[in-house]
Amino acid sequence: MILTVTPNPALDYTVELDEPLEAGTVVRTDGARVDAGGKGINVSQYLHALGSETAASGFLGEPFGRVLADELAESGFETAFVSVEESTRLNQTILATDGEYKINQNGPHVSERALDDLLSRVSERGPPSLVVGGSLPPGVSADDIDRLAAAGDWATTVDVGGEMLADLAGDYALCKPNREELAAATGMATDNVDDCIAAAEALRETGYERVIASLGGDGAVLVGPNGAFVADALDVDVVDTVGAGDSLLAGVLAAYDGGADDATALATGVAVSSRVVGTAGTSVPDLDGIEDVRDGVHVHRR
Ligand SMILES: O=P(O)(O)OC[C@@]1(O)O[C@H](CO)[C@@H](O)[C@@H]1O
């Protein structure tokens, strides 16, 4: 079972415009959707769709937290959220003709008590695998994530942003930075795939058994105890990139959960991600035939 913790969930509001944004003008649209989001929650949604057993936890505050919880009630996996006093955030994605705009709020304050409640909930479940995904809201620090990771004998995966990866001091099974986060975590160049592998190797040394970096058009790399693997990107029509990293991670974790090796896990992640970028927002796309897509991903050793 893979338990995800999203310290800072979000209601994701995605609007599609058929003209560029312009200051001082009203743009009207029919294309809008709301999804339950936040990186850990997204990972759980994709894991569930892939047939892996998962549950989701984190902090939720009303009123937006209530809408998010209602959305998740339909999802088919268990949830165990801790209530906080301020509202869960509303994050916006604007898909305009001139590009993708993303506006993320900092999120509600989380008290010491809520943090202790979260620790109890995770400990009660004692999952073999724990994923902490997304930014940390006010009141939550790198020390708190280290404490959560060390509170049981679960293997912990983190996807918490580049600077935070550098701040974490515990031992982690896996982390999933993107190219910019890899650069921020290591202070190294990430201009090409070889740079990214070198940076991922350096990041491993700081307490991560495996590093998986999503590199957009350059695909993805996985660096771990069995060496470095590079997966080429698939040629797909991108609607938006929101959820791309979460679905890569979910694909990798689902594959490991099923006993896959590193190369197959990486290929699965790239395959799932290629389906998600073809869908607006963080909604779960049709994952039928994903094994065939995975088999078409070219993975090579470096
Ligand atoms: O502000 P954070 O926590 O870094 O990212 C939050 C977020 O952008 O990440 C998900 C996509 O990965 C969205 O569901 C959500 O809005």
Side-chain angles (χ1 to χ4, degrees), residues 42-289:
N42 295 340
V43 170
S44 272
Q45 303 203 81
Y46 302 133
L47 280 171
H48 180 69
L50 288 162
S52 290
E53 196 190 345
T54 185
S57 186
F59 305 106
L60 287 183
E62 302 218 13
F64 291 141
R66 166 59 38 211
V67 182
L68 197 154
D70 288 349
E71 285 264 322
L72 282 186
E74 314 280 307
S75 64
F77 55 84
E78 267 188 78
T79 58
F81 285 91
V82 173
S83 295
V84 291
E85 283 179 11
E86 295 170 11
S87 179
T88 293
R89 57 196 176 141
L90 178 75
N91 285 352
Q92 297 169 68
T93 304
I94 300 167
L95 306 176
T97 48
D98 59 338
E100 179 180 318
Y101 300 83
K102 184 93 170 76
I103 305 167
N104 285 11
Q105 289 181 251
N106 291 329
H109 182 264
V110 172
S111 65
E112 285 285 329
R113 188 175 166 175
L115 273 163
D116 289 344
D117 284 354
L118 179 74
L119 199 59
S120 310
R121 298 227 174 166
V122 172
S123 301
E124 271 159 28
R125 273 165 201 269
S129 177
L130 183 75
V131 177
V132 181
S135 59
L136 306 187
V140 183
S141 67
D143 284 353
D144 296 316
I145 305 306
D146 281 336
R147 193 155 62 104
L148 194 57
D153 55 6
W154 37 79
T156 305
T157 294
V158 279
D159 181 8
V160 289
E163 279 148 28
M164 194 56 65
L165 286 179
D167 287 348
L168 294 176
D171 286 325
Y172 290 87
L174 201 153
C175 67
K176 196 226 65 63
N178 60 26
R179 190 192 294 269
E180 293 72 32
E181 290 167 337
L182 192 54
T186 58
M188 293 170 68
T190 54
D191 298 334
N192 55 47
V193 170
D194 286 331
D195 286 348
C196 292
I197 292 173
E201 270 160 1
L203 188 55
R204 273 196 79 215
E205 301 295 313
T206 69
Y208 301 96
E209 191 182 13
R210 285 183 169 79
V211 176
I212 295 178
S214 46
L215 305 180
D218 280 339
V221 299
L222 185 158
V223 179
N226 305 317
F229 299 83
V230 180
D232 295 339
L234 290 170
D235 189 13
V236 285
D237 289 333
V238 176
V239 174
D240 75 57
T241 58
V242 182
D246 308 334
S247 49
L248 172 75
L249 181 56
V252 167
L253 293 173
Y256 280 138
D257 205 29
D261 59 17
D262 290 324
T264 310
L266 185 60
T268 309
V270 169
V272 178
S273 181
S274 76
R275 284 276 169 92
V276 168
V277 296
T279 317
T282 51
S283 53
V284 180
D286 179 7
L287 294 175
D288 272 1

